[in-house]
Amino acid sequence: MGISVIVLAAGKGKRMRSSVPKILHPILGQPIISYVLESIKRISPQRIVLVLGHGSNEVKKSLNYEQIDSVIQKEQLGTGHAVYSTRRKLRSFNGNIVIVNGDSPLISPGTLKKLIGSHERTRSVLSILTADTRDTHGYGRVMRNGTGHVVRIIEEKDANANQRRINEINSGVYCVESGFLWKALSQVDRKNDQKEFYLTDIVEIASKEGKNVNVFVSKDSEEILGINNRVDLSRVEEIIRRRINDKHMISGVTIVKPGQTYISPQAYISSDTIIFPNSFIYGNTKIGAGCMIGPLVWIKDSKIGKNTSINFSSYITNADIGNKVTIGPFANIRPDSIILEGVRVGNFVEVKKSRIGRLSKVPHLSYIGDSEIGERVNIGAGTITCNYDGISKHETIIEDDVFIGSDTKLVAPVKIGRGASTGAGSTITKDVDDGALAIERTKQVTIRNWKRKRRKKKGK
Ligand code: UD1
Ligand code: CA
């Protein structure tokens, strides 16, 4: 029998004190909700229905999961009401429904599978994932009777001092038989401290009907951590970061200070790469073997080849960088840059939407924008491609084996032919032929004894 999943994500997340919907707050560059969805997808459900409310348009925009259905819960009247709002979408579905909270990103596919397995084995109408923990604050407590059967979940706000002492908490993850779910939810009322329709009330309903409520106790109480405020956010981020970094270290990447290294869940890094502290490897970044990254480097949505060094304080987004390249320190490689094998881009160099051919060098203080640079080109310090005339952008073409003198201004559109040179300090506005030297400079005037003359004038 198939499984459907409901993700509860309509809440505003008041405790975040934010104008951004809670589930869109990022962890390592990815929204909280994306971690939940990644886990769910790995149990291959027939259908996924997201319950959205606050900021639903923003949420939909940020997630490009086309196969995921959503409903809008206009008023957030509680978790029971949220689940109930999906009933039309799931009307034709007969089977087990897994319910998860959109604000609990540590839930693993393995645990979800175990919960479903135990639900099916025990032929229960309702299974809940719980955990024993010392840190029970904010969670619903699991109440059992004398024979150990679960009879009720009581929310912290509704609990008395004795009930609050219970260490078994509700994770907010359930597996429920669909027929029972819809019937039970129609009986839930709002007679509680928060005047909400509590999903958790279906536990008591099942128990009173003499139905089997199955409990699967998670071994890992970390996994069910929910994010309610920014302290939780940072705690969960730390756990996810540690898991990701551990995975890379186990597979052969050296991370000098894992506590100060931030790698997105999708990033791929090959073995024998060394990552120095305070580096951020975000988005869909792929890094080859034997690279040196950092310290203090930001790389996002980029591809880095083998044996490449990205040095101190460099910033790279949406770029494709080849093998044996050296970038930085203090380089800014902007989107749509392609940097081929053996290139050196040095300090205080900005590259934008340009292609730099094999073995070329841009070692110091340059701006290369909208350019096509050939192989073995040397670009002198302080060179600037003047690509913008105030209205549109223009291209600079520099062919193989060109030598650009220091402080050359290349006013685009302009082309420097194969093997040509420019003189230092030139402003080049016209194309330069292959092998030529272009020099644009006023003649130097040297005035002799200048210092003495000036002194005399001043009467000294
Ligand atoms: C809920 C459980 C609690 C459990 C905890 C685990 C209830 C009544 N309580 O409490 O037993 O220990 O989760 O983390 O279910 N939501 C909606 N619509 C609403 C209300 C909430 O979509 O009308 C969503 C929220 O966006 C959130 C999730 O449901 O993703 C849980 O809501 P939240 O208010 O955080 O519930 P808790 O107080 O944490
Ligand atoms: Ca919560």
Side-chain angles (χ1 to χ4, degrees):
M1 208 174 14
I3 292 281
S4 283
V5 179
I6 299 171
V7 185
L8 303 185
K12 181 160 185 267
K14 265 182 254 156
R15 292 165 277 184
M16 294 297 278
R17 298 182 183 277
S18 174
S19 59
V20 177
K22 174 161 74 176
I23 55 167
L24 290 188
H25 279 258
I27 293 178
L28 300 166
Q30 302 301 122
I32 292 171
I33 186 75
S34 72
Y35 291 88
V36 179
L37 294 174
E38 278 309 311
S39 275
I40 290 168
K41 282 201 289 185
R42 304 245 304 268
I43 64 169
S44 316
Q46 243 173 49
R47 303 194 55 184
I48 300 174
V49 183
L50 262 172
V51 182
L52 300 177
H54 281 281
S56 57
N57 285 332
E58 277 168 273
V59 175
K60 278 188 195 163
K61 226 185 290 163
S62 87
L63 301 168
N64 295 319
Y65 296 88
E66 317 89 42
Q67 75 273 40
I68 295 175
D69 244 340
S70 59
V71 296
I72 308 290
Q73 185 196 16
K74 284 198 199 81
E75 266 186 294
Q76 280 75 56
L77 301 177
T79 48
H81 181 259
V83 171
Y84 202 59
S85 67
T86 67
R87 75 195 179 286
R88 269 192 217 104
K89 285 262 181 208
L90 291 170
R91 193 167 39 200
S92 61
F93 176 81
N94 247 316
N96 291 320
I97 297 179
V98 170
I99 302 167
V100 299
N101 280 350
D103 64 0
S104 305
L106 291 166
I107 189 74
S108 73
T111 298
L112 290 175
K113 281 181 194 158
K114 282 184 203 154
L115 174 71
I116 296 163
S118 110
H119 179 80
E120 286 171 349
R121 252 192 331 276
T122 55
R123 298 171 184 279
S124 307
V125 292
L126 169 61
S127 293
I128 43 182
L129 178 69
T130 71
D132 282 309
T133 172
R134 255 179 300 163
D135 191 12
T136 55
H137 179 70
Y139 291 98
R141 313 293 205 277
V142 179
M143 291 173 64
R144 294 179 185 254
N145 65 13
T147 54
H149 289 95
V150 172
V151 290
R152 187 180 170 191
I153 286 169
I154 184 145
E155 290 307 294
E156 185 165 274
K157 286 187 175 144
D158 300 297
N160 62 34
N162 263 335
Q163 290 162 335
R164 285 184 188 203
R165 251 175 252 131
I166 297 171
N167 281 321
E168 188 178 5
I169 57 163
N170 171 29
S171 68
V173 179
Y174 318 81
C175 185
V176 201
E177 194 267 307
S178 57
F180 168 76
L181 178 65
W182 308 125
K183 217 169 87 239
L185 279 177
S186 66
Q187 297 169 42
V188 169
D189 60 32
R190 297 165 81 173
K191 290 181 196 145
N192 53 57
D193 177 84
Q194 304 185 75
K195 312 264 178 307
E196 287 184 356
F197 294 99
Y198 286 169
L199 173 59
T200 43
D201 283 358
I202 65 172
V203 173
E204 193 176 10
I205 292 168
S207 159
K208 279 192 173 148
E209 285 178 9
K211 298 215 161 82
N212 189 25
V213 178
N214 172 46
V215 174
F216 184 77
V217 185
S218 167
K219 288 207 186 68
D220 179 4
S221 66
E222 218 174 47
E223 210 181 295
I224 67 169
L225 272 176
I227 296 174
N228 291 321
N229 56 43
R230 299 192 199 224
V231 176
D232 299 333
L233 180 68
S234 107
R235 207 169 281 159
V236 168
E237 189 262 4
E238 205 174 312
I239 294 167
I240 294 180
R241 181 156 43 81
R242 192 188 63 216
R243 285 185 187 171
I244 292 173
N245 290 348
D246 285 357
K247 180 191 83 185
H248 288 294
M249 290 187 281
I250 297 292
S251 66
V253 176
T254 295
I255 298 179
V256 175
K257 272 255 180 262
Q260 292 165 26
T261 303
Y262 307 82
I263 305 175
S264 78
Q266 316 96 298
Y268 181 84
I269 307 171
S270 295
S271 62
D272 288 328
T273 280
I274 302 178
I275 301 171
F276 292 95
N278 291 320
S279 292
F280 295 78
I281 297 168
Y282 270 13
N284 253 321
T285 290
K286 193 162 177 257
I287 299 178
C291 291
M292 304 270 265
I293 309 288
L296 203 69
V297 150
W298 171 280
I299 305 174
K300 191 175 177 204
D301 294 324
S302 296
K303 195 168 158 262
I304 315 282
K306 283 186 279 188
N307 302 314
T308 283
S309 293
I310 312 291
N311 296 321
F312 187 82
S313 214
S314 292
Y315 192 91
I316 299 172
T317 46
N318 255 302
D320 187 337
I321 294 172
N323 301 335
K324 296 187 192 153
V325 169
T326 305
I327 303 283
F330 304 102
N332 183 7
I333 313 295
R334 292 172 51 199
D336 305 318
S337 296
I338 300 172
I339 294 177
L340 297 175
E341 182 157 340
V343 164
R344 193 174 136 216
V345 173
N347 42 208
F348 307 105
V349 173
E350 175 178 344
V351 179
K352 187 217 87 176
K353 204 177 176 185
S354 294
R355 183 186 158 94
I356 304 181
R358 284 179 60 249
L359 303 171
S360 288
K361 292 185 188 125
V362 194
H364 341 264
L365 300 148
S366 291
Y367 171 63
I368 305 295
D370 303 298
S371 304
E372 179 84 38
I373 297 177
E375 302 188 353
R376 297 171 301 279
V377 168
N378 190 88
I379 309 265
T383 294
I384 289 173
T385 54
C386 311
N387 60 329
Y388 187 47
D389 58 13
I391 297 162
S392 35
K393 303 281 168 69
H394 302 281
E395 200 186 14
T396 300
I397 296 172
I398 300 173
E399 294 188 338
D400 295 348
D401 302 300
V402 161
F403 178 91
I404 301 289
S406 295
D407 195 29
T408 297
K409 308 285 170 281
L410 296 156
V411 181
V414 70
K415 180 178 150 195
I416 314 296
R418 182 183 288 260
S421 301
T422 68
S426 300
T427 299
I428 304 296
T429 51
K430 298 190 199 97
D431 289 356
V432 178
D433 291 341
D434 292 2
L437 165 68
I439 181 158
E440 185 277 343
R441 222 185 259 161
T442 46
K443 239 195 187 133
Q444 181 170 330
V445 178
T446 308
I447 302 170
R448 297 175 142 216
N449 295 325
W450 173 248
K451 205 169 165 188
R452 239 178 43 208
K453 277 186 196 160
R454 274 184 73 193
R455 271 200 197 140
K456 257 190 197 155
K457 232 185 189 169
K458 284 190 178 169
K460 284 179 188 168

